[in-house]
Amino acid sequence: MIIVLKQGISANSIKEVTAKLEAKGVSVSHFSDIKRDFLGLIGDTSGIDTHQLQALTEVEQIVRVEEPYKRANRKFHPENSVVKIDNETIGGGQLGIIAGPCSVESEEQIIHVAKRIKAAGANFLRGGAFKPRTSPYSFQGLELEGLRMLQAAKAETGLPIVTELMSTKWIDEFVESVDMIQIGARNMQNFDLLKEVGKTQTPVLLKRGLSATYKEWLMSAEYIMSEGNENVILCERGIRTFETETRNTLDIQAVPVIKKLSHLPIIIDPSHAGGMSYLVEAGAKAGIAAGADGLMIEVHDDPANAWSDGEQCLTPDEFAELMVKARKLAEIEGRSIQEASTILTK
Amino acid sequence: MIIVLKQGISANSIKEVTAKLEAKGVSVSHFSDIKRDFLGLIGDTSGIDTHQLQALTEVEQIVRVEEPYKRANRKFHPENSVVKIDNETIGGGQLGIIAGPCSVESEEQIIHVAKRIKAAGANFLRGGAFKPRTSPYSFQGLELEGLRMLQAAKAETGLPIVTELMSTKWIDEFVESVDMIQIGARNMQNFDLLKEVGKTQTPVLLKRGLSATYKEWLMSAEYIMSEGNENVILCERGIRTFETETRNTLDIQAVPVIKKLSHLPIIIDPSHAGGMSYLVEAGAKAGIAAGADGLMIEVHDDPANAWSDGEQCLTPDEFAELMVKARKLAEIEGRSIQEASTILTK
Amino acid sequence: MIIVLKQGISANSIKEVTAKLEAKGVSVSHFSDIKRDFLGLIGDTSGIDTHQLQALTEVEQIVRVEEPYKRANRKFHPENSVVKIDNETIGGGQLGIIAGPCSVESEEQIIHVAKRIKAAGANFLRGGAFKPRTSPYSFQGLELEGLRMLQAAKAETGLPIVTELMSTKWIDEFVESVDMIQIGARNMQNFDLLKEVGKTQTPVLLKRGLSATYKEWLMSAEYIMSEGNENVILCERGIRTFETETRNTLDIQAVPVIKKLSHLPIIIDPSHAGGMSYLVEAGAKAGIAAGADGLMIEVHDDPANAWSDGEQCLTPDEFAELMVKARKLAEIEGRSIQEASTILTK
Amino acid sequence: MIIVLKQGISANSIKEVTAKLEAKGVSVSHFSDIKRDFLGLIGDTSGIDTHQLQALTEVEQIVRVEEPYKRANRKFHPENSVVKIDNETIGGGQLGIIAGPCSVESEEQIIHVAKRIKAAGANFLRGGAFKPRTSPYSFQGLELEGLRMLQAAKAETGLPIVTELMSTKWIDEFVESVDMIQIGARNMQNFDLLKEVGKTQTPVLLKRGLSATYKEWLMSAEYIMSEGNENVILCERGIRTFETETRNTLDIQAVPVIKKLSHLPIIIDPSHAGGMSYLVEAGAKAGIAAGADGLMIEVHDDPANAWSDGEQCLTPDEFAELMVKARKLAEIEGRSIQEASTILTK
């Protein structure tokens, strides 16, 4: 961290600022050019609050050279992380394909969709049991009953389960019944929830907040990791911009940027990004071409009667077609997608 | 709600769509012009999911004429709401002036600041005990000990206390010790937390999320109100835009828009909006001129040594000067700010 | 266009509004449900100003069902447009690969780069002669001399030339010496310039403005087309968002959305979108996978000494490697990229 | 400017980079702490292209301590600029109140409105003769005929005229007939146009681009000033954000930020910011309270029949009422607004 001091500062003031900084446990080196003085902070500056330093009257500007995240930082962990989720992994050569309905609606529905997506090549089942809805008057999910139905679908198909946790209240139930806990975009900075999932060892799918910068997103991953749970997978699902024709703007550059800054796997959710089914194929293929480690795609047997987010769902047939194209693309990129099968095995 | 159907749709398809809609408990009237058919939905459409309707292949476009919020809607509650908080109110002729440090740091500090802001005319004390910090390595607040210190400051000065709740875990302690519960910007769509504070009768200060639309913000208020707690005050604290010179962009138009859409009081937080102390005066005065019901301002005795957000704090002297100017402005606008005093009374 | 009238409006007011609307040359049909009255406007509403209608006190809301663009609209031109540029095309099976330096710096430089990119498979040469720079103190381009150098490079390599026009002053020189005129992001709504290039038959590469919606972008294309020049190609080059780690956010969903709304070809510029060379590969490949009709990529022999935008340039070698990967990807998508060659022919 | 070099760089590389930098005409001083080396650039760095430096493989990060604008910079011109426009000024104690219709529609109309706004206290007349419209099919303005009508209104009322210039083609006519040339938001980075108005001495009202940062805006002012025309007034008119309920978001913090960075006057346009007449009062008053040097407000005799932007116009009566309130507010802030009069004098 470099601190640029205001012009015309006295030697005494420099001493005072230096003393204040050293009291924070860092070493300070002083250098200057003709016009200005600078202080370089050496040591672990991750706990230093630049907002506080900025309040010092002597300070013109602060430049953080080091990133504030450590465990999520590729500098300290150069190899890609591969996260193990039940009998599958995300982050290695095979892409993680997560599919399923927005909401779990019935045991019959979720089992049926699970079989169809597995047959097409998906290796994870998603389905919302607790739903974050903008309106308190909208369907809020089947809750614990939904979790039970997801388990029934796993028992039928063997697909590991991914579902969203919205409250620390249900954390024990999730650890017990779920293979990967999803933290939704709206809760990306629900620090209380992040700390609690950080205390478990269940893999966490951390969606990017609607207006979160890459750094804030990685700092949220850091919250989970700093509590001991290093099994974090990032999910880009569109950011909020001025464009209203699409629900959100899929930030495809998130893939190469996160790959540079961090060792964590990153997947793409084209269903929520665009908010319309006709946008899913382009988003999914762009994600693979950009180097993502997987996809999360909403699939519903009867989108027009889905209990939530119907307009962005693919039908199982559309999903199967997409997987055929995605598989070819993945191969060109030196990755793979699980083979499609017509015979279902547990 | 009007549904625009695709061109060239058959009479039979119209019948089918009509039946599906009626199954959702609304009446449907059909009209058409030369080119198109339209369906008008009559009745309570607040529970209808437009995303689901959009998935119907017959649908071109959906137009929601009614707002999805009811309890927060000015249409059903034409007079301004005045919220009672301990012995004070917000929403009436006297502005609610909430001041205090970002974080509670010690009993001595919080009592000292409370006395100074009260003397200048503030009628509420703020101070963070649980702090939402981007970094897990930053100071996270004194937690319950901080609540105790706020109560000590209230005992000294009589100022009602406002502080942020980040977890449902502490809700009982908050209901017991706090006069107004703040829901922070990052938790504006933490629906679990909203429902829980909705079950209490403690007034809630609901900050706008960094990228929340007015409608989403009002829907979050609706979450609280639909659980039975109608004591909601909205707080505009800056939104996230492309501009980087300021921490956030203060959306001053939020005041007249919210006043039109809703009966709930709205206050302005110029400290978090700009993120720098030199911006506070302009933001505060603009807020009053635009018709806000109050202000929330960070005040710290020694900003350069504040444990968080130092660069946006005013000193008690700067705050006192601002109150003198703000009081004159409020009077021009037909409102008032509590008189300054040199003698402190409980 | 549907006009939702305010509740409780009198039959007389409806008559008056209807008369005002008919005076604008459209037919009006009236329908109503229990709560409200609606007016449907039939006929050519593209010249109707919704802002003006909104000012009528009787109007609650206006819903435009028809898009305001006509010539750019896929509805009236269902097949993809293929634009002919000199001896090449964009919009068909072969991708248009435009490459070259940000600025033309010397004849030697531009010829050298042109040869290298042609050898790698590019089929268009770009190079800025007139440069839009944020600072008046930055290098502004070699201007007409730069155009001459581009022509020299075309004479050597046969590659058609694409370069930016910033002023109507030079339009004759551009029509004479340039194969495709680029309109930059900052001038996307310089309507005077759009009209002037619309009066020529030179193909126009219309970059999306930094905060332009898809509709505004298509309306700018409409400006050009309505003057008679239908040879328009759209170029997505990143939009402005809150994220600061990248120069702009590449909006990959622009490809499927534009393909749905319009018949015009669309290409991707990953160099300007990300603003850093390490982001180019991911953006370029994502663009092809999403269905773009081409790419625009900055290539410079010596990026560290480029006169502008050095940090986002690829070297010729990096570009050649990218083309190898892009070609495979294009083939998977049923498209092609011109073969690389080691022997240069005019 | 400070350049942070990558870790582990050799002494030789440092020498090479230093030589490259010195070749750009600046002095370079080298300092280092335990982990890194830094280069401080001394001298005039306003012409240095940070994008180019960033392309050097040795460079980790570049920190510009100095602002890139000079003539617009308050550091080199500490007192507020007061711009003289015909017989009026903006930037001093009296606020500049610019009012009038969006479009000039007829001589009768513009004279009538001019008289009404003058009577209410406005000291400038606005009215569009050349209109930047999103659609080529919308009314484009009366052009030169409109200019003539504005002059007729000036002859009647004595009010100086402000109107938008969209093309360098008409610059001579504007210099001759207009008292202040407006550069619209869409042309804020039409550098060709900026340079041309910079060569005149006619005062320029420079509107902020929809997604322009403060720095880019000041750099556009710098374009005008660097050509010799220092008579620049900035106008905040709302920025583009994710919020759709208002046309744009009025960035009220622009006032204190610009006042800190620059000596140029800044005014507020609440009509375009909100896009709806009910938002004008709050925006106008917030602007004055925040310290703006004036207002620009759309006034039309019959908003429902305005040829453009009807829904954001005030009627002359509404404008007169607003002026009464604004005048009181200005006085509290130590400023003034011209008195209203019932007798019209030239």
Side-chain angles (χ1 to χ4, degrees):
Chain A
M1 193 181 290
I2 304 170
I3 298 179
V4 182
L5 297 174
K6 288 199 177 130
Q7 279 183 274
I9 194 170
S10 72
N12 222 36
S13 297
I14 296 177
K15 262 193 201 158
E16 279 174 34
V17 177
T18 302
K20 280 183 196 171
L21 292 167
E22 287 173 345
K24 289 173 197 294
V26 292
S27 306
V28 180
S29 72
H30 171 226
F31 31 83
S32 57
D33 60 24
I34 290 174
K35 280 160 75 182
R36 277 170 207 276
D37 291 87
F38 305 91
L39 298 177
L41 269 54
I42 303 154
D44 179 7
T45 60
S46 63
I48 290 205
D49 185 347
T50 54
H51 296 309
Q52 187 183 14
L53 294 185
Q54 195 76 60
L56 292 168
T57 51
E58 298 87 352
V59 170
E60 170 93 20
Q61 199 175 343
I62 292 168
V63 187
R64 200 183 256 287
V65 180
E66 296 82 20
E67 293 89 2
Y69 42 92
K70 293 190 285 193
R71 288 164 193 268
N73 198 328
R74 188 176 281 276
K75 278 194 192 148
F76 310 125
H77 187 308
E79 324 76 48
N80 289 330
S81 280
V82 179
V83 177
K84 196 167 177 339
I85 302 124
D86 195 48
N87 56 341
E88 295 281 347
T89 59
I90 295 184
Q94 181 175 280
L95 299 185
I97 307 294
I98 306 169
C102 182
S103 298
V104 178
E105 297 172 13
S106 72
E107 186 169 318
E108 193 192 354
Q109 171 232 25
I110 194 73
I111 291 177
H112 177 73
V113 173
K115 286 180 178 173
R116 295 294 314 272
I117 60 159
K118 181 171 181 176
N123 40 4
F124 295 89
L125 174 66
R126 62 149 289 149
F130 294 84
K131 299 297 308 168
R133 305 301 300 273
T134 307
S135 167
Y137 310 120
S138 297
F139 171 60
Q140 308 273 316
L142 295 179
E143 308 201 337
L144 293 183
E145 189 58 12
L147 284 196
R148 203 194 47 71
M149 293 171 184
L150 284 165
Q151 285 190 295
K154 181 181 177 182
E156 276 297 313
T157 60
L159 291 175
I161 301 167
V162 186
T163 194
E164 180 169 352
L165 174 66
M166 290 169 61
S167 164
T168 54
K169 192 163 49 185
W170 304 115
I171 199 151
D172 292 342
E173 285 80 357
F174 271 65
V175 167
E176 207 174 301
S177 17
V178 162
D179 299 296
M180 179 151 60
I181 296 175
Q182 177 178 318
I183 301 295
R186 292 173 183 80
N187 281 316
M188 193 204 83
Q189 291 193 318
N190 179 341
F191 299 123
D192 188 52
L193 188 59
L194 298 178
K195 284 179 185 172
E196 291 303 315
V197 297
K199 287 173 189 155
T200 76
Q201 284 302 310
T202 306
V204 178
L205 185 69
L206 180 64
K207 290 201 151 188
R208 182 181 184 184
L210 260 77
S211 62
T213 63
Y214 302 133
K215 282 193 181 152
E216 289 169 341
W217 192 14
L218 289 174
M219 288 310 288
S220 287
E222 192 80 15
Y223 257 95
I224 300 167
M225 298 171 88
S226 69
E227 296 287 339
N229 187 350
E230 307 242 334
N231 304 306
V232 177
I233 292 166
L234 301 168
C235 178
E236 160 66 32
R237 42 79 73 217
I239 57 172
R240 182 157 277 183
T241 68
F242 59 84
E243 180 59 66
T244 55
E245 189 79 20
T246 50
R247 189 190 283 187
N248 295 291
T249 296
L250 178 63
D251 179 7
I252 201 72
Q253 293 180 154
V255 179
V257 174
I258 290 294
K259 289 280 173 205
K260 181 174 175 242
L261 301 179
S262 177
H263 53 89
L264 296 174
I266 175 170
I267 70 168
I268 292 289
D269 175 350
S271 305
H272 282 87
M276 277 173 293
S277 56
Y278 88 88
L279 293 170
V280 172
E281 179 178 329
K285 295 201 297 191
I288 296 173
D293 298 299
L295 300 172
M296 186 168 205
I297 292 176
E298 288 199 359
V299 178
H300 193 285
D301 222 35
D302 183 6
N305 288 308
W307 293 5
S308 53
D309 280 353
E311 87 278 34
Q312 71 193 32
C313 290
L314 299 188
T315 62
D317 286 346
E318 289 166 344
F319 176 71
E321 278 174 53
L322 173 58
M323 282 301 101
V324 172
K325 295 175 186 170
R327 198 172 283 113
K328 280 190 202 158
L329 203 59
E331 278 158 22
I332 287 289
E333 296 297 320
R335 311 290 280 268
S336 66
I337 290 180
Q338 195 174 271
E339 284 309 307
S341 64
T342 42
I343 305 141
L344 269 179
T345 51
K346 272 211 200 183
Chain B
M1 193 181 292
I2 304 169
I3 298 179
V4 182
L5 298 173
K6 289 204 175 126
Q7 279 183 272
I9 193 169
S10 73
N12 223 35
S13 296
I14 296 177
K15 262 194 202 157
E16 278 173 34
V17 177
T18 301
K20 279 184 196 170
L21 291 167
E22 286 172 345
K24 291 174 195 295
V26 293
S27 305
V28 179
S29 71
H30 171 227
F31 30 84
S32 56
D33 61 23
I34 291 175
K35 280 160 73 182
R36 277 169 207 278
D37 291 270
F38 305 91
L39 299 177
L41 270 54
I42 303 155
D44 179 7
T45 60
S46 63
I48 290 205
D49 186 347
T50 53
H51 295 309
Q52 186 183 14
L53 295 185
Q54 195 76 60
L56 293 167
T57 50
E58 298 88 352
V59 170
E60 169 93 19
Q61 199 176 341
I62 293 167
V63 187
R64 201 183 253 290
V65 180
E66 295 82 20
E67 293 89 1
Y69 42 92
K70 294 191 283 194
R71 290 163 192 268
N73 197 330
R74 186 175 282 277
K75 279 194 189 145
F76 310 125
H77 186 309
E79 325 77 46
N80 289 329
S81 280
V82 179
V83 177
K84 199 168 173 339
I85 303 124
D86 196 47
N87 54 343
E88 297 280 346
T89 58
I90 295 184
Q94 181 175 282
L95 300 185
I97 306 294
I98 306 169
C102 182
S103 298
V104 178
E105 297 172 14
S106 71
E107 186 168 319
E108 193 191 355
Q109 172 234 22
I110 194 72
I111 291 178
H112 178 73
V113 172
K115 286 180 177 174
R116 294 295 312 274
I117 60 159
K118 180 172 181 174
N123 39 6
F124 295 89
L125 174 66
R126 62 150 288 150
F130 294 83
K131 299 297 307 168
R133 304 303 299 273
T134 307
S135 167
Y137 310 120
S138 296
F139 171 60
Q140 308 274 316
L142 295 178
E143 309 201 337
L144 292 183
E145 189 59 11
L147 284 195
R148 202 194 49 70
M149 292 172 186
L150 283 165
Q151 285 191 294
K154 180 181 179 184
E156 276 298 313
T157 60
L159 291 174
I161 300 167
V162 186
T163 194
E164 180 168 352
L165 174 66
M166 290 169 59
S167 165
T168 54
K169 190 165 50 184
W170 304 115
I171 200 151
D172 293 341
E173 284 80 357
F174 270 65
V175 167
E176 206 174 303
S177 16
V178 163
D179 299 295
M180 179 151 60
I181 294 174
Q182 177 179 317
I183 300 294
R186 291 174 183 79
N187 280 315
M188 193 204 84
Q189 291 193 318
N190 179 343
F191 300 122
D192 187 53
L193 187 59
L194 297 178
K195 284 179 185 172
E196 291 304 315
V197 298
K199 287 172 190 157
T200 77
Q201 284 302 311
T202 306
V204 177
L205 185 69
L206 180 65
K207 291 201 150 189
R208 181 181 184 184
L210 259 79
S211 61
T213 63
Y214 303 133
K215 283 194 181 151
E216 289 169 341
W217 192 12
L218 288 172
M219 288 310 287
S220 286
E222 192 80 13
Y223 257 95
I224 299 168
M225 297 171 88
S226 69
E227 295 287 339
N229 186 350
E230 306 242 335
N231 304 304
V232 177
I233 293 167
L234 302 169
C235 179
E236 160 67 31
R237 43 78 73 217
I239 56 173
R240 183 157 277 183
T241 68
F242 60 83
E243 180 59 65
T244 57
E245 188 79 19
T246 51
R247 190 190 285 187
N248 295 290
T249 295
L250 178 62
D251 179 7
I252 202 72
Q253 293 180 155
V255 179
V257 174
I258 291 293
K259 288 279 172 205
K260 181 173 176 244
L261 301 179
S262 178
H263 53 89
L264 296 175
I266 175 171
I267 71 168
I268 291 289
D269 175 349
S271 305
H272 282 87
M276 276 172 292
S277 56
Y278 88 89
L279 294 170
V280 173
E281 180 177 329
K285 295 201 296 191
I288 296 173
D293 297 299
L295 299 173
M296 186 167 206
I297 293 176
E298 287 200 359
V299 178
H300 194 284
D301 222 37
D302 183 6
N305 288 308
W307 293 6
S308 54
D309 281 352
E311 87 280 33
Q312 71 193 35
C313 290
L314 299 187
T315 62
D317 287 347
E318 289 166 345
F319 176 70
E321 278 174 53
L322 172 59
M323 282 300 100
V324 172
K325 295 175 187 170
R327 199 171 283 113
K328 282 189 200 161
L329 203 59
E331 278 158 21
I332 287 288
E333 296 298 319
R335 310 291 281 269
S336 66
I337 290 180
Q338 192 174 272
E339 284 309 307
S341 65
T342 44
I343 306 141
L344 269 178
T345 51
K346 274 211 200 181
Chain C
M1 192 181 293
I2 305 169
I3 298 179
V4 182
L5 298 173
K6 288 202 176 129
Q7 278 183 272
I9 194 169
S10 71
N12 223 35
S13 296
I14 295 177
K15 262 193 201 158
E16 280 173 34
V17 177
T18 301
K20 280 183 195 171
L21 291 167
E22 286 172 345
K24 290 174 195 296
V26 292
S27 306
V28 179
S29 72
H30 172 226
F31 30 85
S32 55
D33 61 23
I34 291 175
K35 280 159 75 182
R36 277 169 207 277
D37 291 270
F38 305 91
L39 300 177
L41 270 55
I42 303 155
D44 180 6
T45 60
S46 64
I48 290 206
D49 186 345
T50 53
H51 296 309
Q52 186 183 14
L53 295 184
Q54 195 76 60
L56 292 167
T57 51
E58 298 87 352
V59 170
E60 169 93 20
Q61 200 175 342
I62 292 167
V63 187
R64 202 183 253 291
V65 180
E66 296 81 20
E67 292 89 2
Y69 42 91
K70 294 192 282 195
R71 290 164 192 267
N73 198 330
R74 187 175 281 275
K75 278 194 191 146
F76 310 126
H77 187 309
E79 325 74 48
N80 289 330
S81 280
V82 179
V83 177
K84 196 165 175 343
I85 304 126
D86 196 49
N87 55 343
E88 296 280 346
T89 58
I90 294 184
Q94 181 174 282
L95 299 185
I97 306 294
I98 307 168
C102 182
S103 298
V104 178
E105 297 172 13
S106 72
E107 187 169 319
E108 192 192 357
Q109 172 233 23
I110 194 72
I111 292 177
H112 178 73
V113 173
K115 287 180 177 173
R116 295 293 313 273
I117 60 160
K118 180 171 182 177
N123 38 6
F124 295 89
L125 174 65
R126 62 151 288 153
F130 295 83
K131 299 297 307 167
R133 306 303 300 272
T134 307
S135 167
Y137 310 121
S138 296
F139 171 61
Q140 308 274 316
L142 294 178
E143 309 200 339
L144 292 183
E145 188 60 10
L147 285 194
R148 202 195 48 69
M149 292 172 185
L150 283 166
Q151 286 191 293
K154 181 181 178 183
E156 277 296 314
T157 60
L159 291 175
I161 300 167
V162 186
T163 193
E164 180 168 352
L165 174 66
M166 291 169 59
S167 166
T168 54
K169 192 164 48 183
W170 305 115
I171 199 149
D172 293 341
E173 284 81 356
F174 271 65
V175 167
E176 206 174 303
S177 15
V178 163
D179 299 293
M180 177 152 60
I181 295 174
Q182 177 179 317
I183 301 294
R186 292 173 183 80
N187 281 317
M188 193 204 84
Q189 291 194 318
N190 179 341
F191 299 122
D192 188 53
L193 188 59
L194 298 179
K195 285 179 185 172
E196 291 304 316
V197 297
K199 287 172 190 155
T200 77
Q201 285 302 312
T202 307
V204 178
L205 184 69
L206 180 64
K207 291 202 150 191
R208 180 181 186 185
L210 259 77
S211 61
T213 63
Y214 302 133
K215 284 194 179 151
E216 288 169 342
W217 192 13
L218 289 172
M219 288 310 287
S220 287
E222 193 80 14
Y223 257 95
I224 299 167
M225 298 171 87
S226 69
E227 296 286 339
N229 186 350
E230 306 243 336
N231 304 306
V232 178
I233 293 166
L234 302 168
C235 178
E236 160 66 32
R237 42 79 72 217
I239 57 172
R240 184 156 275 183
T241 67
F242 59 83
E243 180 60 65
T244 55
E245 189 78 21
T246 51
R247 190 190 283 188
N248 295 290
T249 296
L250 178 63
D251 179 8
I252 201 72
Q253 293 180 155
V255 179
V257 174
I258 291 294
K259 289 278 171 205
K260 182 175 175 239
L261 301 178
S262 178
H263 53 88
L264 296 175
I266 175 171
I267 70 167
I268 292 289
D269 175 348
S271 305
H272 282 86
M276 277 172 292
S277 56
Y278 89 90
L279 293 170
V280 172
E281 180 178 330
K285 295 200 296 190
I288 296 172
D293 297 300
L295 299 173
M296 184 167 208
I297 292 177
E298 288 198 0
V299 178
H300 193 285
D301 222 35
D302 182 7
N305 288 308
W307 293 6
S308 53
D309 281 352
E311 87 280 32
Q312 72 192 32
C313 290
L314 299 188
T315 62
D317 287 345
E318 289 166 344
F319 176 71
E321 278 172 54
L322 173 60
M323 282 301 100
V324 173
K325 296 174 187 171
R327 199 172 283 112
K328 282 189 202 161
L329 204 58
E331 279 158 22
I332 287 288
E333 295 297 320
R335 311 289 281 269
S336 66
I337 290 179
Q338 193 173 273
E339 283 308 307
S341 65
T342 42
I343 306 139
L344 270 177
T345 51
K346 272 212 203 186
Chain D
M1 193 181 291
I2 304 170
I3 299 179
V4 182
L5 298 173
K6 287 203 177 129
Q7 278 183 275
I9 193 170
S10 72
N12 222 36
S13 297
I14 295 177
K15 261 193 202 158
E16 279 174 34
V17 177
T18 301
K20 281 183 196 171
L21 292 166
E22 286 172 346
K24 290 171 195 296
V26 293
S27 306
V28 179
S29 72
H30 171 228
F31 30 84
S32 56
D33 61 23
I34 290 173
K35 281 159 73 182
R36 277 169 207 278
D37 290 87
F38 305 91
L39 299 178
L41 269 55
I42 303 154
D44 181 5
T45 60
S46 62
I48 289 204
D49 185 346
T50 54
H51 295 309
Q52 186 184 14
L53 294 186
Q54 195 76 60
L56 292 168
T57 51
E58 299 87 353
V59 170
E60 170 93 22
Q61 199 176 342
I62 292 167
V63 187
R64 202 182 255 287
V65 180
E66 295 81 21
E67 293 88 3
Y69 42 92
K70 294 191 282 194
R71 289 162 194 268
N73 197 329
R74 187 175 282 276
K75 278 194 191 144
F76 309 125
H77 187 309
E79 324 75 49
N80 289 329
S81 280
V82 179
V83 176
K84 199 169 173 339
I85 303 125
D86 195 47
N87 56 341
E88 296 280 347
T89 58
I90 295 184
Q94 182 173 281
L95 299 185
I97 306 295
I98 306 168
C102 182
S103 298
V104 179
E105 297 172 13
S106 71
E107 187 168 318
E108 193 192 357
Q109 171 232 25
I110 194 74
I111 291 177
H112 177 73
V113 172
K115 286 180 176 173
R116 295 294 313 272
I117 59 159
K118 180 172 182 176
N123 39 6
F124 295 89
L125 174 65
R126 62 150 288 151
F130 295 83
K131 299 297 307 168
R133 305 303 299 273
T134 307
S135 168
Y137 310 119
S138 297
F139 171 60
Q140 309 275 315
L142 295 178
E143 308 201 336
L144 291 183
E145 189 59 12
L147 283 195
R148 202 196 47 70
M149 293 172 185
L150 283 166
Q151 285 190 295
K154 181 180 177 182
E156 275 300 311
T157 60
L159 291 175
I161 300 167
V162 187
T163 194
E164 179 168 352
L165 174 66
M166 289 169 60
S167 166
T168 54
K169 191 164 49 183
W170 305 114
I171 199 151
D172 293 343
E173 285 80 357
F174 270 65
V175 167
E176 206 174 302
S177 17
V178 163
D179 299 294
M180 179 152 60
I181 295 174
Q182 177 179 316
I183 301 294
R186 292 173 183 79
N187 281 316
M188 193 203 83
Q189 292 194 318
N190 180 341
F191 299 122
D192 188 52
L193 188 59
L194 297 179
K195 284 179 186 172
E196 291 304 315
V197 297
K199 287 173 190 155
T200 77
Q201 285 301 311
T202 306
V204 178
L205 185 69
L206 179 65
K207 290 203 151 190
R208 182 182 183 183
L210 259 77
S211 61
T213 63
Y214 303 133
K215 282 192 182 154
E216 288 168 342
W217 192 13
L218 289 173
M219 289 310 288
S220 287
E222 192 81 13
Y223 257 96
I224 300 167
M225 297 171 88
S226 69
E227 295 287 339
N229 186 350
E230 306 243 336
N231 303 307
V232 178
I233 292 167
L234 302 168
C235 179
E236 160 67 31
R237 43 78 74 218
I239 57 172
R240 183 156 277 183
T241 67
F242 59 84
E243 181 59 65
T244 55
E245 189 79 21
T246 51
R247 189 190 284 188
N248 294 292
T249 296
L250 178 62
D251 179 8
I252 201 72
Q253 292 179 154
V255 180
V257 174
I258 290 295
K259 289 280 172 202
K260 181 173 176 243
L261 301 179
S262 178
H263 53 89
L264 296 174
I266 174 170
I267 71 168
I268 291 289
D269 175 349
S271 305
H272 282 88
M276 276 172 292
S277 57
Y278 88 90
L279 292 170
V280 173
E281 179 178 330
K285 295 201 297 190
I288 296 173
D293 296 300
L295 299 173
M296 184 167 208
I297 292 175
E298 289 199 358
V299 178
H300 194 283
D301 222 36
D302 183 7
N305 288 308
W307 294 5
S308 54
D309 281 352
E311 86 279 33
Q312 72 193 31
C313 290
L314 298 188
T315 62
D317 286 347
E318 289 166 344
F319 177 70
E321 278 173 53
L322 173 60
M323 281 301 101
V324 172
K325 294 175 188 171
R327 199 172 284 112
K328 281 189 201 160
L329 203 59
E331 279 158 21
I332 287 289
E333 296 296 318
R335 312 289 281 269
S336 66
I337 289 180
Q338 194 174 270
E339 284 309 307
S341 65
T342 43
I343 306 141
L344 268 178
T345 51
K346 271 212 199 182

